[in-house]
Amino acid sequence: IHLATLDLAALELGKDLPAHEILWKLREVLFHDQLRTPLFDSVYMMIWQEDHPGQEMKMPKTQSQDWLDIGLNTLAGATNSSGILTFARKLWEKGRDRTSRKRIQNILGGRSPLDWNRRERLENLPKLLWADITQAFEANPILRIALCIDEYEQIQLTKPRELSADGCIQELLGGLFFDPATLDRFAVVVMGREKLRWDMVYDPEWKGLIESHILNGLSENDTLFFLTEK
């Protein structure tokens, strides 16, 4: 079982955190040698290049072997503004070739992400990360993933908002939980000070999938410490 933890306590933008940034943070904790995300990475890089023209992109600490196998002379050559799109294109082609054609076609609609506008790229990111995760499950029949998300109240909304961090997380997890092929291989624990509201905000079908538990409160000493320090 691959265990991954995403702690939202340190987020600076909270509920205003861009959807693609929360998905990148999720990608970083999920990534390991049996779960690579070339489809998601390639389109994220296109968005990053738009947001940071002329800047260099720092590679993640855990560099995907997919990135190393692209065939470029050096990784550094792909991190500058002029090289990012070439790098993203090669990464996309690699991910597309190894992923279920039917699954990819359902996402692409017959078009390349290079032809998508910014909104289309942002809207499709959860689907691409879902496709990468599903591909990892198909490639490794014994792979299981357990994800823990803490301090979820930092991004949870009370009503839908376009391209929100909360909406993208529930869309990604919904794709995995509503798919019989991945339902029993992907478990998520969402912790926070507020009850999870996906069934009320997004889709009533979440009600049958969400199992809520109230944890014990702070001890007297911890409560005094918290009130004193905060």
Side-chain angles (χ1 to χ4, degrees), residues 110-211:
R111 299 170 62 213
S112 164
L114 293 169
D115 299 324
W116 293 346
N117 58 38
R118 179 181 177 85
R119 184 179 184 84
E120 289 174 312
R121 291 173 180 170
L122 291 170
E123 288 178 341
N124 281 308
L125 274 181
K127 300 175 185 176
L128 295 172
L129 188 51
W130 164 80
D132 281 326
I133 294 172
T134 304
Q135 172 62 27
F137 282 138
E138 292 179 355
N140 185 349
I142 66 172
L143 177 64
R144 301 289 188 274
I145 296 175
L147 171 66
C148 177
I149 305 178
D150 197 10
E151 301 275 355
Y152 196 78
E153 73 277 1
Q154 299 288 337
I155 64 171
Q156 181 162 234
L157 302 177
T158 56
K159 58 183 179 180
R161 185 193 303 171
E162 287 189 341
L163 299 176
S164 68
D166 183 36
C168 279
I169 290 290
Q170 72 82 34
E171 181 182 352
L172 167 65
L173 298 181
L176 293 166
F177 286 136
F178 289 118
D179 183 347
T182 57
L183 175 59
D184 295 330
R185 302 179 63 184
F186 194 94
V188 178
V189 176
V190 179
M191 298 187 292
R193 293 176 176 83
E194 302 171 357
K195 183 179 179 181
L196 202 57
R197 294 188 288 261
W198 292 346
D199 57 324
M200 296 179 285
V201 177
Y202 300 106
D203 190 335
E205 289 192 39
W206 273 113
K207 189 173 184 178
L209 293 174
I210 296 175
E211 186 176 309

Side-chain angles (χ1 to χ4, degrees), residues 32-51:
H32 69 125
D33 60 346
Q34 296 176 344
L35 201 168
R36 295 166 184 162
T37 55
L39 300 179
F40 173 85
D41 290 358
S42 60
V43 176
Y44 176 85
M45 291 171 72
M46 296 177 195
I47 296 170
W48 191 95
Q49 193 265 349
E50 287 183 350
D51 291 343

